[in-house]
Amino acid sequence: MGQLGTYISAVNHLKCKPGDTPTIGLLICKTKKQVMAQYALESTNQPIGISECKLSKLIPEDIKSQLPSIEEIEEQVKRIQGKKKEER
């Protein structure tokens, strides 16, 4: 939530003009856990919404074969995280 709040503040300071409505942060999660969402949002006063999303439903059929699978993306993220740990 801290990182998302930073982005919201940056947009408000750098992009918004007088009269613009406040920026809304949207955190899209693989799964939504109500208790964790409540605790994460309890101390913020910025407008933030949390939503659960099934990415596979958002991808048009005609380009699905051109994109990596969720499993491939997750594996790549694990490799990157492993490299970062080794560098420390």
Side-chain angles (χ1 to χ4, degrees):
M1 289 310 306
Q3 188 173 8
L4 181 55
T6 300
Y7 294 146
I8 292 170
S9 294
V11 168
N12 286 337
H13 285 279
L14 301 172
K15 298 289 184 180
C16 290
K17 300 175 190 126
D20 284 350
T21 56
T23 303
I24 297 172
L26 180 59
L27 181 60
I28 301 174
C29 307
K30 187 174 181 180
T31 59
K32 184 170 101 175
K33 296 190 175 161
Q34 194 65 33
V35 173
M36 290 303 291
Q38 175 187 342
Y39 292 161
L41 292 174
E42 197 167 283
S43 64
T44 186
N45 60 359
Q46 296 181 345
I48 296 175
I50 298 180
S51 178
E52 184 175 19
C53 177
K54 299 280 187 216
L55 185 60
S56 60
K57 292 182 179 180
L58 299 175
I59 302 171
E61 287 295 325
D62 59 333
I63 65 166
K64 273 188 181 181
S65 64
Q66 300 172 31
L67 300 173
S69 68
I70 299 297
E71 293 78 16
E72 291 169 327
I73 294 170
E74 289 174 343
E75 185 59 36
Q76 181 67 22
V77 169
K78 287 178 187 176
R79 279 195 297 262
I80 291 170
Q81 289 174 338
K83 287 180 183 177
K84 286 183 179 180
K85 286 181 183 178
E86 290 174 8
E87 293 172 358
R88 292 181 191 163

